[in-house]
Amino acid sequence: MTRSVFLSTFLLAAVLSPITLQPYTCGPPPELAGLAVLELRAGRFAGENVVEGFNPNVFSYDVLFPESESVGVLWVKTNHPSTMVDVDYDGLPVRLVGQSVAELDVPLGSSELAIHVTRRGSTVDSKTYVVHIRRVPVLACTEQGIREAIARGGGPIFFDCDGPTTVLTEAEIVIDNDVILDGEGNLIVDAGGGAGGTGGAGGAGFAAAEVAPKVNGAHRVFSIPEGVTAELIGFAVTGGSTSGDGGGILNAGTLTLSDSAVTGNAADIGGGVRNLDTGTLMVTDSDVSQHTVARFGGGIHNRGQMDVVDSVISNNEAGLGSAGLSNWPEIAVVRLTRATVSGNLTPGAGGGMSNLG
C-alpha cells in the first residue's frame, strides 16, 4: 500500500512547503534553538495517545496507536523558527519548521518514524530520533469490553480507561481463549463483594469470610480452564467471593499475573488465587493481599506449578491454616524468588506458608 501524508483541510495548501501554525515573534538566538516538544497523537487532533515532554537525550520511543484509528498526528514544536525538523516516515519525507503539525497515515501492524532535527546558526547541529509505532486493539473499559477481548484472543489487547476505572462484574469472567490483556494499571475488575471482616486469627473475621454479601450475587472474578494460556498485566482483581475455591481467580490453565493486585476476595480455599493440579501460575511484580478463607490458602492455594517473583503475599486470613500460601499435595511445586510473605493470620499451622509439596 502506498503511504501518504495527509494535512487537515486548513493546511492542505502547505503540502509542498513548510507548515507553520504559530509564527514566532521572539525567541532565543538560533544557536540556542532545539527541539522543545514532540507530540505524537492517535486520531487527528483529538487523540488520547500522546508522547509528550520530548527528551532531547532520549533517542528512541515506542508508541501504541488504537487499531480503530488509521491517522496519527505528528506535532513538532521547537523553540526557534529556524530549527528544521525533517521526518522520514517509511521512506516518505516531510519537512516541518518551528511549531508544525502533519497527519500521517498509519498502516496496520508496525511502522517507524525517523525524526531528524537540524539546528542552524553559527554551527549546525543535527540529531535523529526514532519513534516505533504499532497499531493495537483497544476495547471498551467495561465488562463487555473484557469479554470481547477474551473472545478475540491474541494480544496484547488494551482498554480505553480514562485513568483508574472500576468495572463491576455481573458474573464470573471465564478466560476460555489464549489472550494477553493489558489494563495498564487502570483496570479494577470488581465482583462487587469481597473478603469478610478482619477479626484476627480465630476471630470474627473468619466467620464473616464464608461468603460476603454481593451486589450482583456471589461470584469469583476470573477463571481459566485447562489448556488455556492467559496473561493479565496491570489489573486489580477484587471483590470476588464463593463458597467454593478461588475467590479472585481459579486457574486450571497457564496464567501469568504481571504488575497486578489481587486483593479483598473470599472463598472456602484459595481466597486470592486457587491454582489447580493442571495449573501453571506465574506471579511477578504483583500483590496478593487482604483475603479471607474459611479453610486454607488465604492468599494462594497451589496444587500445580507456581512461581512468585518480586511479589508480596500479605495480610491474608485463614480459618484453619496456611493464611499466606498453601502448597499441597506432594506433587505441587512452588518457587519463591525475592518474594515477601508477611502479616498473614491463622489459628492453625502455617501463618505465612504451609508446604506439603
Side-chain angles (χ1 to χ4, degrees):
M1 182 181 77
T2 302
R3 296 187 175 88
S4 57
V5 176
F6 296 95
L7 305 176
S8 54
T9 304
F10 64 90
L11 295 175
L12 192 57
V15 171
L16 300 179
S17 62
I19 307 163
T20 303
L21 294 184
Q22 179 177 325
Y24 285 80
T25 57
C26 61
E31 59 269 19
L32 297 181
L35 189 65
V37 175
L38 168 71
E39 289 187 1
L40 190 58
R41 294 179 180 266
R44 301 193 180 276
F45 295 96
E48 296 294 333
N49 190 20
V50 181
V51 174
E52 58 185 6
F54 188 73
N55 184 344
N57 297 314
V58 177
F59 295 91
S60 180
Y61 294 85
D62 293 309
V63 178
L64 300 178
F65 280 76
E67 189 179 62
S68 58
E69 301 286 359
S70 62
V71 177
V73 174
L74 177 67
W75 180 295
V76 178
K77 178 181 179 182
T78 67
N79 59 11
H80 197 280
S82 68
T83 302
M84 295 290 189
V85 179
D86 292 310
V87 180
D88 185 354
Y89 176 56
D90 283 359
L92 180 69
V94 183
R95 169 157 287 187
L96 307 176
V97 180
Q99 180 170 317
S100 310
V101 65
E103 292 184 12
L104 307 174
D105 184 32
V106 181
L108 284 169
S110 60
S111 191
E112 185 174 281
L113 289 168
I115 302 171
H116 310 284
V117 182
T118 302
R119 186 180 67 192
R120 305 186 185 281
S122 56
T123 60
V124 176
D125 185 20
S126 180
K127 295 181 179 178
T128 297
Y129 305 90
V130 177
V131 179
H132 305 277
I133 59 178
R134 184 160 55 99
R135 285 178 63 187
V136 297
V138 179
L139 301 184
C141 192
T142 61
E143 179 180 358
Q144 184 59 33
I146 296 171
R147 294 184 184 277
E148 289 177 4
I150 294 168
R152 176 177 181 140
I157 299 176
F158 298 81
F159 300 89
D160 188 17
C161 301
D162 186 15
T165 303
T166 298
V167 174
L168 282 173
T169 60
E170 294 185 359
E172 175 182 337
I173 297 176
V174 180
I175 304 177
D176 55 2
N177 204 3
D178 292 351
V179 70
I180 301 173
L181 305 178
D182 195 333
E184 299 183 284
N186 289 322
L187 196 48
I188 305 163
V189 186
D190 188 345
T198 54
F206 299 114
E210 292 178 2
V211 174
K214 306 306 295 281
V215 174
N216 297 317
H219 61 274
R220 71 172 56 89
V221 187
F222 287 110
S223 64
I224 301 90
E226 183 178 354
V228 173
T229 298
E231 183 171 1
L232 298 179
I233 306 170
F235 268 69
V237 179
T238 188
S241 69
T242 173
S243 57
D245 301 339
I249 301 172
L250 180 65
N251 178 52
T254 299
L255 172 65
T256 300
L257 281 173
S258 303
D259 299 307
S260 295
V262 182
T263 182
N265 302 283
D268 182 43
I269 296 176
V273 184
R274 179 101 194 261
N275 190 43
L276 297 177
D277 305 59
T278 58
T280 298
L281 175 66
M282 166 65 80
V283 180
T284 178
D285 294 304
S286 296
D287 176 62
V288 181
S289 65
Q290 298 180 357
H291 305 96
T292 58
V293 292
R295 294 201 287 168
F296 305 105
I300 302 175
H301 189 284
N302 177 55
R303 292 181 59 91
Q305 302 287 313
M306 184 176 74
D307 286 88
V308 179
V309 181
D310 295 321
S311 297
V312 176
I313 302 174
S314 66
N315 301 315
N316 302 287
E317 297 185 4
L320 295 181
S322 309
L325 169 63
S326 174
N327 189 52
W328 180 87
E330 294 179 359
I331 60 172
V333 176
V334 60
R335 290 169 288 268
L336 303 179
T337 306
R338 297 183 302 277
T340 299
V341 182
S342 68
N344 302 286
L345 298 174
T346 178
M353 182 171 72
S354 175
N355 178 40
L356 299 177

